[in-house]
Amino acid sequence: MNYSIPKHVAIMMDGNGRWGKKRGLTRSEGHYAGAKTMQKIIDACIDFDVKILTLYAFSSENWSRPEDEVNYLMHLPVKFFNQKLPEFMRRNINIRISGNLAALPDPTREALMKAEKKTGNNTGIIVNFAFNYGGRDDILQGIRRVIHEVQNNDMNLDMMDEDLFQQYLYTKDLPDPELVIRTGGEKRVSNFLLWQSSMSELYFTDVFFPDFNKELLYEAIKEYQRRTTLHLTENQKWESTIRG
Ligand code: IPE
Ligand code: IPE
Ligand code: MG
């Protein structure tokens, strides 16, 4: 059995709205509950020694939601980081943001940038918030920046390869996630980490994100370990075949 813990876990935190509706609450109350769960999942990842946790919090498609819901989702990071920053500092948590920050309302962008800057020297778990993130936008903005550098003679296009291009993505120096989890029952990629998840194990659960917890995260990690053990055995079989 492969007992190794994935270094980078990415979670599509889906199902907040339906969780609220099921309880006779509003969708926004579902998002609030989701934010509470997020804190528990960060704790669980620290306990499991996951080094990087990426959380899909707002997609580039989520702007098409009703205005009051979008407003609430823009307000959540302000509230969340205002409350949690001192604790994140105390616990050595390094916050990163991946996404198009320029298009956000000022208070939202400022809260996200402040959290990233303030925790920038922390050496503990990296919690990477994908906010106003789209996988296609990620790749396109990377291409635009490369073209810009080539036009300014700052880059020789012959140097470009996958490793170098990765540096132009929103996720920059973060390694690709070994495990991508989607809660909420849908089996879609929904424009998440299109480049970065090319080799990731995908894990889907019907549980709505506010009900996700440490035990369910552990189930996902065990499934990852089981699957990668199978890969290992397949590779070993293959190696013994070619070696005779
Ligand atoms: C995911 O929950 C969180 C965000 C997209 C911000 P949803 O809001 O998509 O909840 P459902 O899928 O409608 O239940
Ligand atoms: C994906 O969930 C985005 C986030 C979790 C932030 P969505 O609910 O927005 O995706 P779709 O609409 O099911 O594709
Ligand atoms: Mg959804």
Side-chain angles (χ1 to χ4, degrees):
M1 183 78 178
N2 169 23
Y3 289 111
S4 69
I5 295 290
K7 191 172 174 207
H8 182 176
V9 174
I11 306 182
M12 308 172 74
M13 306 183 289
D14 194 27
N16 292 347
R18 281 166 288 160
W19 182 93
K21 202 172 163 206
K22 206 175 80 181
R23 281 168 178 68
L25 304 170
T26 62
R27 292 182 57 83
S28 291
E29 285 170 307
H31 293 310
Y32 183 73
K36 291 257 167 235
T37 298
M38 211 162 69
Q39 299 167 30
K40 294 194 190 126
I41 295 303
I42 295 172
D43 292 343
C45 284
I46 294 172
D47 288 348
F48 291 145
D49 204 25
V50 168
K51 306 288 185 203
I52 305 158
L53 171 65
T54 291
L55 296 166
Y56 202 10
F58 190 89
S59 80
S60 50
E61 283 66 42
N62 288 152
W63 294 107
S64 62
R65 304 240 174 144
E67 196 183 334
D68 61 340
E69 187 178 347
V70 170
N71 288 342
Y72 186 78
L73 289 167
M74 289 299 138
H75 174 66
L76 255 187
V78 180
K79 192 178 155 100
F80 181 77
F81 287 118
N82 260 342
Q83 261 178 23
K84 301 293 284 186
L85 253 191
E87 182 195 324
F88 289 162
M89 288 308 292
R90 225 175 23 250
R91 299 177 68 194
N92 200 21
I93 295 173
N94 185 331
I95 303 293
R96 305 269 187 109
I97 313 294
S98 296
N100 178 2
L101 294 186
L104 295 175
D106 292 345
T108 314
R109 184 181 53 255
E110 283 157 15
L112 293 168
M113 287 175 71
K114 180 178 162 197
E116 188 171 53
K117 191 158 179 243
K118 200 148 194 261
T119 64
N121 290 326
N122 290 353
T123 53
I125 188 172
I126 295 174
V127 181
N128 174 40
F129 285 89
F131 201 92
N132 196 19
Y133 178 88
R136 288 185 169 186
D137 173 52
D138 194 358
I139 294 168
L140 251 184
Q141 64 78 36
I143 292 173
R144 278 198 210 98
R145 282 170 52 214
V146 169
I147 292 175
H148 190 76
E149 290 190 11
V150 171
Q151 282 173 342
N152 287 332
N153 290 321
D154 288 337
M155 184 203 286
N156 174 358
L157 210 43
D158 293 339
M159 305 270 291
M160 183 49 67
D161 60 12
E162 291 182 10
D163 286 341
L164 182 57
F165 186 64
Q166 180 179 321
Q167 296 296 320
Y168 288 81
L169 296 173
Y170 287 131
T171 43
K172 293 183 229 52
D173 51 338
L174 300 181
D176 293 340
E178 292 93 341
L179 173 63
V180 176
I181 298 171
R182 180 170 187 152
T183 63
E186 307 295 345
K187 295 187 175 65
R188 271 196 292 282
V189 177
S190 298
N191 208 7
F192 190 43
L193 301 181
L194 296 183
W195 173 285
Q196 297 86 339
S197 66
S198 73
M199 299 303 282
S200 309
E201 291 293 333
L202 307 179
Y203 183 88
F204 298 98
T205 166
D206 288 340
V207 171
F208 294 144
F209 186 71
D211 289 332
F212 197 58
N213 59 30
K214 187 175 182 178
E215 288 69 35
L216 294 167
L217 174 63
Y218 188 54
E219 288 302 314
I221 291 176
K222 276 198 299 195
E223 170 68 11
Y224 161 83
Q225 292 174 333
R226 198 184 60 77
R227 287 191 211 162
T228 46
T229 305
L230 290 178
H231 292 172
L232 286 178
T233 354
E234 285 304 311
N235 284 340
Q236 277 155 3
K237 256 194 253 162
W238 168 243
E239 272 178 26
S240 64
T241 322
I242 50 177
R243 289 208 183 110

